[in-house]
Amino acid sequence: MSNPIHPVAEHDPTVAVPAARARLLIFDTTLRDGEQAPGCSMNRAQKLRMAHVLEELGVDIIEAGFPAASDADAAAVAAVAAAARQARIAALARCQESDIVSAARALQAARAARIHLFLATSPIHREHKLRMGKAQVLAVAVAGVRRARELCDDVEFSAEDALRTEPEFLIEVFNAVIAAGARTINVPDTVGYTTPVEIAALFARLRREVAGIDDAVLSTHCHDDLGLGVANSLAAIEAGARQVECTLNGIGERAGNAALEEVVMALRTRSDRYALATGIDSTRLYAASRALSGMIGLEVARNKAIVGDNAFAHEAGIHQHGMLANRATYEIMRPEDVGFPHTRLVLGRHSGRHALRERIRELLLDIDDARFESVFSAFKALAENKREVLDADVEALVLGASVQARGPWMLAAMHVGTYVGGASIASLHLRHVDGREVRETATGSGPVHAVTAALVRASGLALEILELRVRSIGLGAGAQGEAVLRVQHDAQESRGRGTSTDIVEAAALAMLEVVNRIERTQPRAPANPTHPHDGNSHHDDETRHVSVA
């Protein structure tokens, strides 16, 4: 390993970006800083899948892990490095020989590689963690950069806890590591302590006083302990940072990191203020967020900016009225810009006449003005007792009948079982008001997945489940469970709700409600009518896995 791996071409934007160039590099550390947070760890296969998602998103640099941490992490970094086709792959290392060698080995197969060195510089870290004086910290940093440059041409240096480091010492360290060969200088707010004004002033000073700073990329890495991670990142960018280190969904240690999707969309939405571009395909943000959430099992908060379920949802009557007149009244970006399905007007106690009329129109229901006023009064009364009024509720109010009773499909029987190993199988018997019957079977990763898959198969419809929420209503042995579904069909979204003392049955009823609504508005014969042999479709040649997103 005496030769540098992958010498860097002079035109490579991930290495040196002139100060006047309108390009911001996105350094994603979801697979390293993000995954080390409790509940967010990923194995090698998961890191490979997420690295592919990040490349498709357009991330410039992917920090794949910390090879010295474990053999498993080293193997994961090596796998990501070998699989990457576009992004530069970075590996973290302390400023010590064994770490640097481990990082270089893990990156050998990368098309483009970076060793990311870090060393704490703040007084509290020097005294209590490193037990080093300033001179020793300076010497270790320089030696680390020089050794890393022997093995990799692209070296980044991070001064851990930079925002609590004396500015004069920070400048001294950065002067030395740039002279030693560091191409990127990262200024981490490791504990989320700083404020926008403070970090902007520091970056402005670094640009003025660090020798050779124009030959390196100045980078920001902000944590969110005070809820300022994105604000501090944007302030650093305004003050001259040309690389931002961030994570999808803002995952990371403690309160997390600056969220990639928020930084990117702030730059795009406020292009009048930030004359910078990124290589991110913003239309993939929602899908990338959901891919990560599904992989690590950490749900995205409904009120999360950009990718949360409420990011493009409106309930207040005044807001809904404005949205129906012109989306720009209450939306500063379009949902399609981030890959979100579409704007959703939520019907609830704050909704007004305009929103209810629009939902009735979308459900293809006819109603005159006089009838509408009585329906609206009933709607407001219902909304006082329900958090959200669903499409089925609106139909019942307009038609004056129970949606469940109107069908046309009814759930005649259902059986759910579980295989050894955890997979589940669901068998359903559906009966139509015209006498037709369908029996269908499907398997899934769990009972709810299996029963919804069987219903999708029985319906013959191309349905994509966007969201499924289950919760308990009440306490005790007789408490009911509620399932609420959001399903997409032919680019239209439908919502269903089911309640039962059995949460699996509640999910089946919610899906059946959606299927019935689609058939009522788009009448069609089911894809799987009763089979002539015995009315069942669970024979070996017909039972199959059904993929439900």
Side-chain angles (χ1 to χ4, degrees):
M1 264 194 257
S2 58
N3 295 322
I5 53 177
H6 308 295
V8 178
E10 291 184 1
H11 65 275
D12 190 332
T14 66
V15 176
V17 179
R21 189 170 177 180
R23 174 65 191 273
L24 179 75
L25 300 175
I26 300 297
F27 179 112
D28 183 276
T29 185
T30 301
L31 305 185
R32 199 280 300 169
D33 200 347
E35 76 104 20
Q36 70 187 27
C40 298
S41 60
M42 288 174 259
N43 58 33
R44 178 168 61 178
Q46 291 171 325
K47 281 196 174 187
L48 273 171
R49 291 199 296 273
M50 276 312 304
H52 176 72
V53 170
L54 293 170
E55 279 209 296
E56 291 292 310
L57 186 60
V59 164
D60 297 291
I61 304 104
I62 298 173
E63 187 167 49
F66 186 8
S70 67
D71 291 341
D73 211 18
V77 174
V80 171
R85 293 293 174 264
Q86 298 173 336
R88 180 172 296 275
I89 306 302
L92 188 69
R94 289 167 293 190
C95 287
Q96 57 189 48
E97 175 72 12
S98 59
D99 278 30
I100 295 167
V101 171
S102 293
R105 283 177 177 158
L107 293 169
Q108 278 185 311
R111 179 196 64 82
R114 172 179 296 181
I115 293 179
H116 180 194
L117 297 176
F118 74 98
L119 183 64
T121 54
S122 68
I124 191 168
H125 279 244
R126 293 195 309 261
E127 179 182 354
H128 296 286
K129 188 178 78 171
L130 299 180
R131 299 189 183 279
M132 293 182 183
K134 289 183 178 179
Q136 192 175 2
V137 167
L138 187 62
V140 170
V142 169
V145 171
R146 286 175 177 165
R147 178 58 175 140
R149 277 299 303 270
E150 291 174 358
L151 303 176
C152 182
D153 203 46
D154 183 6
V155 174
E156 173 175 342
F157 178 81
S158 286
E160 187 183 7
D161 205 21
L163 270 296
R164 292 193 297 176
T165 300
E166 307 94 321
E168 296 77 13
F169 181 56
L170 196 62
I171 291 167
E172 184 179 2
V173 171
F174 287 160
N175 282 337
V177 296
I178 289 175
R183 295 177 179 271
T184 300
I185 301 300
N186 187 41
V187 188
D189 183 19
T190 304
V191 293
Y193 179 73
T194 195
T195 65
V197 171
E198 188 175 43
I199 197 171
L202 176 62
F203 270 74
R205 183 172 178 181
L206 294 176
R207 289 184 63 199
R208 290 193 309 268
E209 299 184 26
V210 173
I213 195 64
D214 290 338
D215 296 323
V217 176
L218 193 55
S219 172
T220 182
H221 177 125
C222 296
H223 280 259
D224 207 36
D225 296 71
L226 293 176
L228 296 172
V230 171
N232 288 333
S233 297
L234 293 172
I237 290 166
E238 282 195 276
R242 288 300 175 263
Q243 174 179 286
V244 60
E245 303 193 359
C246 47
T247 62
L248 279 174
N249 295 343
I251 67 171
E253 288 278 15
R254 303 178 313 280
N257 289 267
L260 180 154
E261 61 277 4
E262 296 177 26
V263 172
V264 167
M265 291 311 295
L267 294 173
R268 174 171 174 161
T269 304
R270 294 305 309 275
S271 58
D272 58 322
R273 184 177 183 89
Y274 304 101
L276 293 166
T278 72
I280 298 296
D281 178 356
S282 67
T283 63
R284 295 180 179 269
L285 286 170
Y286 180 80
S289 166
R290 287 308 185 268
L292 176 64
S293 176
M295 190 169 298
I296 63 178
L298 190 64
E299 185 176 355
V300 177
R302 294 186 65 84
N303 64 333
K304 168 76 172 65
I306 312 301
V307 293
D309 285 336
N310 288 352
F312 297 95
H314 307 267
E315 181 181 334
I318 294 174
H319 288 211
Q320 291 177 337
H321 186 193
M323 284 292 299
L324 291 170
N326 187 317
R327 282 166 46 166
T329 52
Y330 288 102
E331 282 187 353
I332 61 172
M333 66 193 92
R334 301 180 305 169
E336 52 266 36
D337 290 341
V338 301
F340 212 92
H342 53 74
T343 295
R344 186 164 63 91
L345 300 185
V346 177
L347 295 181
R349 61 182 299 188
H350 302 107
S351 300
R353 288 177 170 78
H354 292 87
L356 181 60
R357 275 193 181 278
E358 180 64 16
R359 185 61 55 84
I360 291 172
R361 185 193 65 76
E362 290 174 355
L363 293 173
L364 304 180
L365 299 172
D366 294 323
I367 186 171
D368 59 29
D369 290 344
R371 173 69 177 147
F372 175 80
E373 288 305 316
S374 64
V375 167
F376 181 71
S377 296
F379 160 75
K380 294 297 279 188
L382 178 63
E384 285 298 322
N385 297 310
K386 292 192 67 175
R387 180 171 297 177
E388 182 177 350
V389 177
L390 302 179
D391 291 349
D393 300 316
V394 175
E395 285 185 324
L397 290 172
V398 173
L399 299 174
S402 166
V403 174
Q404 177 86 354
R406 289 188 296 109
W409 289 99
M410 301 290 293
L411 182 62
M414 178 179 75
H415 175 74
V416 181
T418 301
Y419 292 120
V420 174
S424 297
I425 183 169
S427 298
L428 302 175
H429 177 191
L430 300 182
R431 184 177 293 122
H432 198 275
V433 292
D434 64 8
R436 287 177 291 156
E437 295 186 355
V438 169
R439 290 178 172 85
E440 194 57 84
T441 297
T443 56
S445 58
V448 171
H449 180 205
V451 76
T452 53
L455 266 163
V456 170
R457 183 172 178 175
S459 73
L461 299 169
L463 302 177
E464 178 187 1
I465 298 180
L466 303 176
E467 180 187 23
L468 169 59
R469 288 184 284 122
V470 294
R471 70 183 183 99
S472 175
I473 306 175
L475 300 172
Q480 285 196 316
E482 178 186 58
V484 178
L485 276 169
R486 286 197 300 122
V487 177
Q488 187 162 299
H489 171 66
D490 287 346
Q492 296 294 318
E493 184 179 308
S494 293
R495 296 170 68 82
R497 175 180 175 272
T499 58
S500 171
T501 53
D502 182 343
I503 199 64
V504 179
E505 182 180 358
L509 294 175
M511 178 62 84
L512 187 61
E513 184 176 286
V514 171
V515 170
N516 278 331
R517 182 176 301 109
I518 293 172
E519 175 149 342
R520 287 195 299 270
T521 57
Q522 303 173 25
R524 60 192 296 278
N528 290 314
T530 304
H531 288 262
H533 49 273
D534 66 351
N536 292 282
S537 63
H538 58 269
H539 287 197
D540 290 342
D541 62 336
E542 302 210 28
T543 300
R544 64 184 186 274
H545 288 274
V546 177
S547 176
V548 182

